[in-house]
Amino acid sequence: MRASLRRGRTWIVVAVALLAGALVLVALQGAIRAPGPPLAADDPAPGGAQALARVLADRGVEVRQVRSLDAALAEARRGATVFVHDGLGVLDRARIGELAAVADAIVVARPDFASLEVLAPGVRLAGAVDGAPGAAGCAVPAADRAGTLSDGQRLLTIDDDAAASGFTGCFPSGDGFAVVAGTAPDGAEVVLVGATTPFANESIDEAGNAALAVGLLGARDEVVWYLPGPGDADAAEAPTLAELTPGWVSPVLVLLVVATIAAGIWRGRRFGPLVVEDLPVHVPASETGEGRARLYARSSARLRAIDQIRIGTIRRLSAVLRLPRSADVDAVVVSAAQATGQPAASVRALLVDAVPQDDRELVRLARDLDGLERAVHAAIAPDPSLDATDPTGRRT
């Protein structure tokens, strides 16, 4: 057992290292990755928005989180404020237009190009502000109560056409604004918040973020918290696998298939019979014994190896001592002890009880067994060096 552990300690160390690395990776992912999507109303992680949802609920606002466009459309028709954060960018212009056509009020956190083109034509993305933006400076009640916003805001610009259609900006920084409000072409009241910081758990308590978020989403008794999922994407407009695959992939795949088939034919050929000799093949007993001994040595099966030697020794001693086939080991021990004059306990320990602890002891036991067998032969069989015709018994 110890020898097996010594031989396999390298693989054991590798397995333990891989297991430890997997556990560390799982722990890091659990600590870094949010349990839910960004700005989820039931997510307590730093990137979630559970704090805002609970504040709204305490103020009597019913917050219903949905993950499909159909559910959002159904709730919007009832007059609820629609809060949208399309972090994956799955909504196309047609779906955003469907939502704008039935909603009375829409608040969009970190809008993308499609949302701006449908809800606020003429409003564009303008990067991020360095530090905190300026004071509200607009007539939007929620922004006016907030006063200021924290660092990390993203900016939106308003061109002349958007300004002429009624869009106004709050919290300016240069030519951009952190919040833009106006009326969409379909008639919905739209508020575009450039960043997610006013809504996220980790930053909602900074500056006037909480006042802005509560003011925008708490104006009505119901809020539809809509986080689009992959199921809202238009599968018909999604690129096919052939469109996403580079042109060189197909020839390489064909070449790999041809090479695999050729390698299989090459390695699978048989040049003549596997065994030249006519079966059954005769294997010398010495090769069998040597192979079995190597297997015992490789697996450190010392006790099994010495037992095989003992079995052969006991069988030969039984034949030399003229014992019947039914004789047990104890009979062989007694007869061998009587023939050699050795103590029966020593003979029994040698033939049965002794257990080798290492290779050196295994070799010693094998030599002692050979010596016992020679001693029995010398005691039982006549000495071939004595001349039987010489009455004096002198050696020849």
Side-chain angles (χ1 to χ4, degrees):
M1 182 64 180
R2 293 180 180 176
S4 300
L5 291 176
R6 284 197 300 270
R7 288 196 307 273
R9 63 176 176 265
T10 301
W11 296 107
I12 294 175
V13 171
V14 171
V16 171
L18 291 176
L19 180 60
L23 292 177
V24 171
L25 182 61
V26 170
L28 290 177
Q29 287 181 340
I32 298 174
R33 184 180 301 169
L39 292 191
D42 56 353
D43 186 1
Q50 187 183 74
L52 174 59
R54 289 187 175 181
V55 171
L56 292 173
D58 293 341
R59 291 173 173 264
V61 179
E62 184 178 357
V63 178
R64 292 191 294 274
Q65 180 171 275
V66 297
R67 295 302 303 274
S68 67
L69 179 62
D70 294 338
L73 292 174
E75 297 293 340
R77 292 187 180 97
R78 300 171 54 181
T81 300
V82 180
F83 174 70
V84 182
H85 174 56
D86 188 8
L88 300 177
V90 299
L91 292 179
D92 57 11
R93 295 172 180 81
R95 283 167 166 73
I96 297 173
E98 291 181 30
L99 187 61
V102 299
D104 294 333
I106 303 177
V107 178
V108 183
R110 196 170 184 177
D112 56 7
F113 290 103
S115 300
L116 294 177
E117 290 181 1
V118 175
L119 299 176
V123 177
R124 299 289 183 266
L125 300 175
V129 61
D130 185 11
C138 64
V140 177
D144 185 60
R145 287 192 298 268
T148 59
L149 294 180
S150 65
D151 296 347
Q153 304 300 318
R154 301 175 67 87
L155 300 177
L156 304 169
T157 59
I158 305 173
D159 63 11
D160 295 338
D161 293 336
S165 63
F167 280 94
T168 182
C170 306
F171 307 104
S173 177
D175 295 334
F177 303 91
V179 176
V180 172
T183 303
D186 291 328
E189 297 179 5
V190 176
V191 178
L192 306 172
V193 182
T196 60
T197 50
F199 309 96
N201 294 329
E202 60 184 349
S203 54
I204 193 172
D205 59 343
E206 299 176 2
N209 292 350
L212 175 66
V214 173
L216 293 178
L217 300 182
R220 298 171 183 259
D221 295 335
E222 297 179 354
V223 173
V224 180
W225 205 285
Y226 177 37
L227 303 178
D232 292 330
D234 188 359
E237 296 184 0
T240 63
L241 182 61
E243 294 174 345
L244 296 174
T245 303
W248 54 266
V249 173
S250 297
V252 170
L253 290 177
V254 173
L255 180 61
L256 288 176
V257 171
V258 173
T260 302
I261 295 175
I265 296 175
W266 169 53
R267 299 298 295 175
R269 295 182 62 185
R270 295 292 185 235
F271 299 96
L274 295 178
V275 180
V276 179
E277 296 85 0
D278 295 332
L279 296 179
V281 178
H282 174 70
V283 180
S286 60
E287 294 184 8
T288 303
E290 183 178 355
R292 182 177 296 179
R294 289 179 177 176
L295 290 176
Y296 289 157
R298 184 178 301 173
S299 59
S300 298
R302 302 183 187 89
L303 183 58
R304 186 179 296 273
I306 197 63
D307 285 343
Q308 295 298 320
I309 298 175
R310 284 167 171 168
I311 291 173
T313 301
I314 292 173
R315 185 181 298 114
R316 290 188 296 271
L317 289 178
S318 179
V320 172
L321 294 170
R322 301 294 192 269
L323 296 176
R325 290 180 176 271
S326 59
D328 56 8
V329 177
D330 292 334
V332 176
V333 169
V334 173
S335 299
Q338 292 176 352
T340 59
Q342 299 181 17
S346 300
V347 176
R348 179 176 179 81
L350 186 59
L351 292 176
V352 179
D353 298 331
V355 177
Q357 300 299 325
D358 51 26
D359 293 341
R360 184 186 301 274
E361 191 170 350
L362 174 64
V363 173
R364 183 185 62 78
L365 287 175
R367 290 178 178 175
D368 292 345
L369 287 170
D370 182 67
L372 176 63
E373 189 173 352
R374 290 176 179 274
V376 172
H377 273 282
I380 300 301
D383 191 346
S385 63
L386 295 177
D387 187 0
T389 60
D390 188 356
T392 61
R394 290 179 299 177
R395 298 181 183 273
T396 57

